[in-house]
Amino acid sequence: MRLSKILLTALLAAFLLLIPAGTSLAAEENGDIVVGATKVNGTWKLFDESGVEVTSGWGFVKVDGKTYYLDDGNVLVGWRESYGDWYHFSETTAAMDTGLTKIGKKTYFFEKDGSMAYGWKKVGTDYYYFGDDGSSKTGWIRITGRYFYMKNDGIMHTGWLTQGGKTYYMNKDGVMMTGTVVVDGETCIFANSGALISRSSQPVKNGWKQMGDQWAFFRDGKCLTGWQKIGGAYYYFELDGTMRTGWRYLRSKWYYLDPKSGAMQTGWKQIDGKWYFFDPSGYMVTGTRTISGKKYEFAKNGVLLNP
């Protein structure tokens, strides 16, 4: 028995002589060799596959299938930049993060090599969009002129969506629909804002269409927006396609649209007992203006000062 202890001591001493200077061994309390990163007295330490502590080196170091970041042998965690790419090393394992990762309150995606992803990314069967800071976007986003809606978890929404009391539809690619679209056999009309105007099993006809207590005008199956000339008169339609009436302020000028017909007014107009004059192009006149050979003065709010 004594001879066995002497022999074991001699073998251990011989093994220790083979370990390079400046390295050390570590073991768990149960006697298993530590491989990878672990905290020793509050400091991260890295051990190779033999349980030997790595005390030198710079940059990326792979141990047992995981990647770590060293700075002169010191294990670093958190964000690291290398050759223009960003990487993140877990504060809980010190290993490089890959795949979909939540850091703080934001979600990121790291490629297989650990580099942070940007733009569209398919994860399983779901799509995410990662912005310039690498975090997944939520809510409405506009990409190359098209609108998408990203749910609170960052996953792209498809199908019907109700937001702020309005209904929208995103196709299978997540794109918000506008204009006339057939959905599940129904003809749906969406404003340029994407809001649903109407759903019907009947095809959409060109011309005026009443939407509740408002009006819209359709041409080639789409509702018009902005200034439009219809039947010799000008009308103004909001982004959702509804016709505007009354006063409208556009490009630093005031216009008046008939309260009933919506037609843009020109010339003399009495509104609430006061007189105004609207230029042939529709805007309200202010200051001095000669009309039919007579000079008139108009206040800043357009009201005639010298009837």
Side-chain angles (χ1 to χ4, degrees):
M1 188 67 156
R2 184 175 182 183
L3 180 60
S4 298
K5 288 185 177 179
I6 294 173
L7 180 59
L8 182 59
T9 302
L11 289 173
L12 181 59
F15 175 70
L16 292 174
L17 290 173
L18 297 175
I19 300 174
T23 62
S24 61
L25 290 175
E28 298 281 8
E29 290 183 359
N30 61 10
D32 294 332
I33 294 177
V34 174
V35 176
T38 189
K39 275 190 175 182
V40 178
N41 296 325
T43 302
W44 282 106
K45 301 287 185 181
L46 182 63
F47 300 89
D48 65 18
E49 286 82 351
S50 300
V52 178
E53 182 184 355
V54 181
T55 59
S56 63
W58 300 81
F60 302 99
V61 176
K62 199 165 188 177
V63 175
D64 197 30
K66 297 180 180 180
T67 302
Y68 304 88
Y69 195 87
L70 297 183
D71 182 4
D72 194 20
N74 298 309
V75 181
L76 302 183
V77 297
W79 289 101
R80 294 293 141 196
E81 189 267 341
S82 179
Y83 296 100
D85 288 321
W86 283 95
Y87 303 80
H88 188 268
F89 296 84
S90 172
E91 282 83 357
T92 57
T93 66
M96 183 175 71
D97 287 317
T98 58
L100 202 62
T101 305
K102 191 167 185 178
I103 302 172
K105 295 183 179 180
K106 296 184 177 181
T107 301
Y108 303 83
F109 187 87
F110 298 95
E111 304 289 358
K112 290 182 179 180
D113 65 357
S115 59
M116 185 173 69
Y118 301 91
W120 287 109
K121 193 70 183 177
K122 186 178 182 181
V123 182
T125 59
D126 298 318
Y127 284 90
Y128 296 78
Y129 188 85
F130 299 93
D132 293 339
D133 65 348
S135 66
S136 65
K137 297 305 174 185
T138 60
W140 289 105
I141 61 172
R142 186 172 185 264
I143 308 295
T144 60
R146 300 182 298 178
Y147 284 92
F148 302 81
Y149 187 82
M150 316 306 286
K151 293 184 281 190
N152 290 337
D153 58 4
I155 297 175
M156 181 186 76
H157 182 85
T158 59
W160 291 102
L161 171 72
T162 300
Q163 281 285 315
K166 295 184 178 181
T167 302
Y168 305 84
Y169 184 79
M170 281 68 178
N171 68 9
K172 62 182 179 62
D173 298 317
V175 179
M176 182 191 76
M177 294 289 93
T178 60
T180 305
V181 182
V182 176
V183 182
D184 300 328
E186 291 187 308
T187 300
C188 300
I189 303 173
F190 298 93
N192 283 13
S193 65
L196 176 68
I197 297 175
S198 69
R199 296 171 70 172
S200 173
S201 57
Q202 301 297 319
V204 180
K205 296 181 180 180
N206 289 339
W208 290 101
K209 185 175 179 64
Q210 189 169 11
M211 306 296 180
D213 59 350
Q214 296 181 310
W215 287 87
F217 192 92
F218 288 83
R219 184 178 294 159
D220 299 326
K222 295 183 178 181
C223 57
L224 303 183
T225 60
W227 286 111
Q228 300 290 339
K229 187 176 182 180
I230 302 172
Y234 282 93
Y235 301 84
Y236 187 85
F237 299 91
E238 300 289 0
L239 289 177
D240 63 1
T242 55
M243 182 187 73
R244 183 67 184 259
T245 60
W247 289 101
R248 179 66 176 167
Y249 190 67
L250 290 167
R251 297 183 179 180
S252 302
K253 294 182 182 297
W254 282 100
Y255 297 80
Y256 189 74
L257 309 166
D258 188 86
K260 293 184 178 180
S261 70
M264 182 187 77
Q265 301 299 292
T266 60
W268 289 104
K269 185 72 177 178
Q270 190 177 33
I271 304 171
D272 295 331
K274 298 177 181 179
W275 284 97
Y276 300 81
F277 187 84
F278 296 90
D279 185 83
S281 62
Y283 68 85
M284 181 189 74
V285 171
T286 60
T288 303
R289 170 67 70 97
T290 299
I291 303 170
S292 300
K294 182 179 177 180
K295 187 178 290 187
Y296 294 90
E297 293 291 334
F298 299 89
K300 289 183 179 180
N301 63 359
V303 175
L304 176 65
L305 298 176
N306 59 331

